[in-house]
Amino acid sequence: MDTVFEDIPRESLIYLGISFAVFLVIYWVTLFVLRKFGKDPRYLVPEGVMKRVAFPIFLLFVSIVVRMTSFRQLLGMENEEYWFKKASALLFIFAMTWLIIGILKVVKQLIIHNYDVNTEDNLKARKIYTQFNILERIIIFIVVILAIGAVLMSFQEIREVGVSIFASAGVAGIIIGFSAQKLIGTVLAGIQIAIAQPIKLDDVVIVEGEWGRIEEITLTYVVVKIWDKRRLIVPTPYFIEKPFQNWTKTSSDILGTVFLYTDYKVPFDALREELTRILENTDLWDKEVNVLQVTDSKANYVEIRALMSAKDSPTAWDLRVHIREKLISFLQENYPESIVHNRILMDKLNEDNSNEKNQQ
């Protein structure tokens, strides 16, 4: 063992040993703090945090060690300083990018852990989910672009080429800028959606005449899950530039309507009592709104509107279907003459027939 290290300066081994010891101390202190916070409900740390950040931190330590003169002396490669420093810089950029993305995902998981989108009153939770999903993509995109730029600029040859290109590409830059105007506008619309939030994840919307829920929001497009399981892909500028219906912008409760077209003989009071009875015997009604009104009258029928409320739009749909069926059944069984039918007056014909009989 002595013959192996006899040509290596003792200071190099000491420096490497100290670096390794410092790294172990930092690692175990970080692990201890995370575990302590993980047991405290006030600072609950999600599981798998160390798995996300341990390896990037290790790579950061390796990049520092590779840059040390002691490490080159240990390998007997003191003259390869340029390549060791270049490898250290590239490894440092890669590890730092990985670490930032890992920390971002941990912070997102830590914050959204306190919000459950599966509850009935999930408006705030959907706001948080929407903001963090979009902002996470923006930050990751920026971090990766900066990392690629830092890697390229670390090479002197590429840096000189880049400077010359930027210095002589004014016209080309203007052309590219005009060409990318639509893309930039789309990305900015995605950022605006994240901040202003005209839509959120799981919002109920009507877009292009289609009823559906917001399933996914990215920087460039939004996925709307239509009620029949189709997917409508909409560019993000659509929700900034065009009007659309958002049924859950501030709350999920909604009013449902049922229209009936009946004869003039329909008993309105009996129909109101039946509506109340049906609503009180179903869990679909939230016990807020119960109204039956005559909203129009035509030559052959009367238009009746039943208005009721529900906790959300899918429940309102089921409630409307239920009420419509029950009211029609009620009229069929109890007031069949109230169903719309055409009248033909036979008074003149009957009078003529009576006169003929008298003459005979």
Side-chain angles (χ1 to χ4, degrees), residues 141-350:
F141 176 77
I142 294 174
V143 169
V144 171
I145 292 298
L146 292 178
I148 294 175
V151 169
L152 295 177
M153 295 301 288
S154 65
F155 295 93
Q156 184 65 31
E157 297 82 0
I158 297 179
R159 186 187 306 174
E160 293 176 355
V161 172
V163 171
S164 63
I165 290 176
F166 279 120
S168 60
V171 177
I174 294 174
I175 296 174
I176 294 174
F178 278 111
S179 301
Q181 184 177 7
K182 196 171 187 63
L183 175 61
I184 295 173
T186 301
V187 174
L188 292 178
I191 298 174
Q192 188 173 350
I193 288 176
I195 298 174
Q197 291 198 336
I199 55 173
K200 301 174 290 296
L201 289 174
D202 206 40
D203 263 345
V204 176
V205 296
I206 295 182
V207 180
E208 296 294 314
E210 299 284 0
W211 183 97
R213 289 182 178 273
I214 301 296
E215 185 178 47
E216 184 181 358
I217 303 176
T218 69
L219 283 177
T220 55
Y221 65 89
V222 176
V223 180
V224 181
K225 182 180 180 181
I226 303 174
W227 64 274
D228 57 1
K229 295 187 178 181
R230 290 179 294 153
R231 300 300 192 274
L232 183 65
I233 311 300
V234 186
T236 50
Y238 180 96
F239 295 95
I240 303 299
E241 300 171 355
K242 296 184 179 180
F244 64 95
Q245 294 185 38
N246 188 338
W247 289 10
T248 54
K249 179 66 173 70
T250 56
S251 63
S252 60
D253 56 328
I254 193 171
L255 295 180
T257 57
V258 171
F259 286 95
L260 296 178
Y261 299 93
T262 67
D263 191 80
Y264 275 78
K265 292 182 178 181
V266 64
F268 301 117
D269 292 336
L271 204 58
R272 286 191 181 94
E273 293 176 2
E274 180 63 14
L275 174 63
T276 301
R277 188 191 68 80
I278 297 172
L279 289 174
E280 290 177 347
N281 286 278
T282 178
D283 295 331
L284 300 174
W285 186 44
D286 64 0
K287 305 185 186 306
E288 293 291 334
V289 178
N290 170 18
V291 177
L292 188 141
Q293 296 172 319
V294 179
T295 53
D296 200 359
S297 60
K298 301 295 183 180
N300 298 324
Y301 64 85
V302 174
E303 181 185 79
I304 300 174
R305 186 188 67 180
L307 191 64
M308 70 288 298
S309 57
K311 62 181 180 180
D312 53 38
S313 55
T315 306
W317 171 263
D318 293 336
L319 180 61
R320 292 171 58 197
V321 173
H322 177 71
I323 294 297
R324 185 181 294 110
E325 178 182 338
K326 293 297 182 181
L327 288 180
I328 292 175
S329 299
F330 172 75
L331 292 177
Q332 289 174 340
E333 295 172 3
N334 299 277
Y335 303 96
E337 70 279 3
S338 297
I339 299 174
V340 176
H341 55 270
N342 293 324
R343 291 184 175 86
I344 299 177
L345 296 179
M346 305 292 293
D347 292 345
K348 180 65 175 175
L349 181 60
N350 291 334

